[in-house]
């Protein structure tokens, strides 16, 4: 069905002399960059009533207006079980299981978190991407926040851009880590394998902090905090320092035979079939109440079993 979209914003001085598409992204963060560029190209996003190009610079003070009857992609509401850990009229927080894709895409046209959200809360049909403002990979478990209104979505996107949303992850990685550290390396699309990301000069800035929770000798349990939220950021960054996530076949964490070949340890490593990554904590400012909100989700059974086995067999090997 057509969705009538009408917005107007004045370009503030701090955005002067930037490209129009960059300014539009800052003024209308509820919409993707590609959608805004399409509206610019079609003349549905204009500056002082005039059609412009995405690369054109603004000087500040102009009126940027969107008027569109966009045909929204229709996604089916599906009764997919959701573990909702918090919900009010403004937002909800979901503890996502492994194996659940967040948003429909190539090869996953339904059966996603988005489809489940549309069934859970009908008003999300009127929110771009059903209110999803950040994502977790298919096999990553843990907490994810969803906006239930456009105002909330705008507020949460601003918090993410300002890096004021706190996200803490647990991971099990290959190798012996003995000290905390930071990876500050830009991430972009892999040059030859388009489904992968990689450390690339000229990529988007990406910063990951990590600290050791427990060292098992040949493996480590670590805690990670993100300053940025790039696609596959943790997986790419940990591979870049030669400590890939256990179970991550895409980024170098496939099965590796340990030095002491205990049958129990071998079995635990072989049978863990997903990247050992869990989004354990989420902290943000509530868009309506301005209260600091904090949620925690226990490490799921499969990953906790892996950590227990790593501890057991590392102790037995000492």
């Amino acid at each position: 069905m057509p969705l009538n979209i009408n917005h107007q914003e004045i370009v503030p001085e701090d955005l002067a002399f930037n490209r129009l598409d960059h300014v539009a992204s800052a003024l209308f963060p509820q919409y993707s960059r590609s959608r805004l560029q399409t509206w610019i190209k079609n003349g549905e996003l204009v500056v002082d009533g005039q059609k412009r190009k995405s690369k054109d610079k603004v000087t500040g003070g102009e009126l940027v207006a969107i008027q569109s009857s966009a045909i929204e992609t229709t996604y089916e509401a599906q009764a997919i079980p959701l573990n909702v850990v918090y919900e009010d009229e403004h937002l909800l927080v979901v503890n996502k299981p492994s194996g659940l894709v967040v948003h429909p895409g190539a090869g996953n046209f339904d059966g996603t978190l988005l489809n489940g959200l549309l069934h859970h809360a009908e008003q999300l049909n009127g929110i771009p991407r059903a209110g999803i403002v950040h994502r977790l990979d298919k096999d990553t478990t843990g907490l994810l926040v969803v906006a239930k209104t456009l105002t909330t979505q705008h507020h949460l996107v601003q918090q993410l851009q300002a890096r004021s949303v706190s996200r803490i992850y647990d991971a099990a990685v290959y190798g012996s880590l003995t000290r905390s550290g930071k990876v500050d390396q830009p991430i972009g699309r892999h040059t030859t394998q388009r489904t992968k990301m990689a450390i690339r000069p000229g990529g988007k800035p990406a910063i990951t902090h990590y600290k050791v929770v427990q060292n098992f000798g040949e493996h480590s349990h670590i805690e990670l905090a993100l300053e940025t939220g790039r696609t596959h950021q943790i997986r790419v960054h940990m591979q870049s320092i030669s400590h890939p996530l256990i179970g991550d076949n895409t980024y170098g964490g496939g099965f590796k035979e340990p030095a002491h070949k205990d049958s129990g340890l071998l079995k635990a490593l072989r049978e863990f079939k997903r990247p050992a990554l869990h989004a354990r904590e989420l902290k943000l400012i509530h868009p309506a109440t301005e209260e600091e909100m904090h949620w925690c989700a226990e490490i799921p059974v499969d990953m906790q079993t892996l950590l227990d086995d790593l501890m057991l067999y590392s102790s037995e090997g000492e």
Side-chain angles (χ1 to χ4, degrees), residues 166-180:
S166 173
R167 290 168 288 171
I168 304 296
Y169 293 74
D170 281 286
V173 300
Y174 280 102
S176 175
L177 275 165
T178 58
R179 63 179 64 183
S180 301

Side-chain angles (χ1 to χ4, degrees), residues 191-240:
T191 54
T192 59
Q193 302 176 59
R194 303 305 293 171
T195 60
K196 292 179 62 175
M197 308 301 287
I199 302 294
R200 290 193 60 188
K204 294 182 178 180
I207 301 173
T208 303
H209 300 267
Y210 63 88
K211 69 177 182 180
V212 181
V213 178
Q214 192 162 7
N215 184 306
F216 304 117
E218 295 181 69
H219 311 91
S220 301
H221 174 194
I222 62 173
E223 179 182 284
L224 304 110
L226 299 181
E227 280 194 36
T228 54
R230 308 306 176 199
T231 302
H232 300 174
Q233 177 173 320
I234 289 174
R235 298 164 64 188
V236 171
H237 273 174
M238 294 314 296
Q239 180 192 40
S240 76

Side-chain angles (χ1 to χ4, degrees), residues 95-99 135-143 167-173 208-210 220-226 230-238 243-248 251 272-280 297-300 302-304 306-307:
N95 185 7
K96 189 187 86 66
S98 173
R135 301 188 187 186
L136 296 175
D137 295 338
K138 174 183 177 181
D139 291 319
T140 299
T141 58
L143 298 172
R167 290 168 288 171
I168 304 296
Y169 293 74
D170 281 286
V173 300
T208 303
H209 300 267
Y210 63 88
S220 301
H221 174 194
I222 62 173
E223 179 182 284
L224 304 110
L226 299 181
R230 308 306 176 199
T231 302
H232 300 174
Q233 177 173 320
I234 289 174
R235 298 164 64 188
V236 171
H237 273 174
M238 294 314 296
H243 292 286
L245 272 61
I246 293 173
D248 191 351
Y251 294 103
F272 200 82
K273 299 295 187 181
R274 68 176 182 90
L277 184 63
H278 173 65
R280 187 185 78 233
E298 290 186 359
I299 295 174
D302 66 336
M303 187 168 157
Q304 187 60 57
L306 172 66
L307 292 170

Side-chain angles (χ1 to χ4, degrees), residues 27-267:
L27 295 177
F28 311 109
Q30 64 268 44
Y31 300 114
S32 67
R33 176 76 62 82
S34 61
R35 170 170 287 191
L36 292 166
Q37 288 173 332
T38 298
W39 284 339
I40 294 169
K41 182 178 179 181
N42 294 341
E44 296 172 289
L45 188 156
V46 297
V47 179
D48 288 337
Q50 301 297 313
K51 184 177 178 179
R52 303 278 291 276
K53 294 180 180 179
S54 290
K55 66 180 181 180
D56 289 347
K57 302 291 181 67
V58 300
T59 57
E62 299 98 327
L63 176 66
V64 179
I66 300 172
Q67 188 168 30
S68 173
S69 296
I71 304 299
E72 287 290 290
T73 302
T74 301
Y75 296 112
E76 181 184 357
Q78 296 176 313
I80 297 170
L82 300 178
N83 182 1
V84 178
V85 299
Y86 176 84
E87 183 171 13
D88 61 26
E89 62 184 307
H90 305 283
L91 57 81
L92 62 88
V93 176
V94 176
N95 185 7
K96 189 187 86 66
S98 173
L100 182 62
V101 174
V102 170
H103 192 282
N108 296 284
F109 297 108
D110 59 8
T112 70
L113 175 65
L114 182 145
N115 299 105
L117 288 168
L118 293 177
H119 182 272
H120 176 81
E122 186 177 348
Q123 70 265 39
L124 293 176
N125 278 286
I127 311 298
R129 299 177 297 282
I132 296 168
V133 295
H134 67 112
R135 301 188 187 186
L136 296 175
D137 295 338
K138 174 183 177 181
D139 291 319
T140 299
T141 58
L143 298 172
L144 184 146
V145 64
V146 177
K148 295 177 70 175
T149 70
L150 282 172
T151 300
T152 297
Q153 188 179 53
H154 179 86
H155 198 293
L156 291 176
V157 168
Q158 286 187 318
Q159 287 191 57
L160 286 163
Q161 291 175 339
R163 303 182 183 180
S164 59
V165 175
S166 173
R167 290 168 288 171
I168 304 296
Y169 293 74
D170 281 286
V173 300
Y174 280 102
S176 175
L177 275 165
T178 58
R179 63 179 64 183
S180 301
K182 178 177 76 171
V183 184
D184 184 353
Q185 292 287 348
I187 292 176
R189 186 69 59 182
H190 196 286
T191 54
T192 59
Q193 302 176 59
R194 303 305 293 171
T195 60
K196 292 179 62 175
M197 308 301 287
I199 302 294
R200 290 193 60 188
K204 294 182 178 180
I207 301 173
T208 303
H209 300 267
Y210 63 88
K211 69 177 182 180
V212 181
V213 178
Q214 192 162 7
N215 184 306
F216 304 117
E218 295 181 69
H219 311 91
S220 301
H221 174 194
I222 62 173
E223 179 182 284
L224 304 110
L226 299 181
E227 280 194 36
T228 54
R230 308 306 176 199
T231 302
H232 300 174
Q233 177 173 320
I234 289 174
R235 298 164 64 188
V236 171
H237 273 174
M238 294 314 296
Q239 180 192 40
S240 76
I241 61 170
S242 301
H243 292 286
L245 272 61
I246 293 173
D248 191 351
N249 292 319
T250 302
Y251 294 103
F255 173 74
K256 296 178 177 62
E257 193 168 279
H260 72 278
K261 300 176 178 58
D262 186 285
S263 60
L265 179 57
L266 290 170
K267 182 174 184 289

Side-chain angles (χ1 to χ4, degrees), residues 263-272 305-306 309-310 313:
S263 60
L265 179 57
L266 290 170
K267 182 174 184 289
L269 293 170
R270 281 200 180 99
E271 292 185 352
F272 200 82
T305 299
L306 172 66
D309 285 341
L310 292 176
Y313 295 113

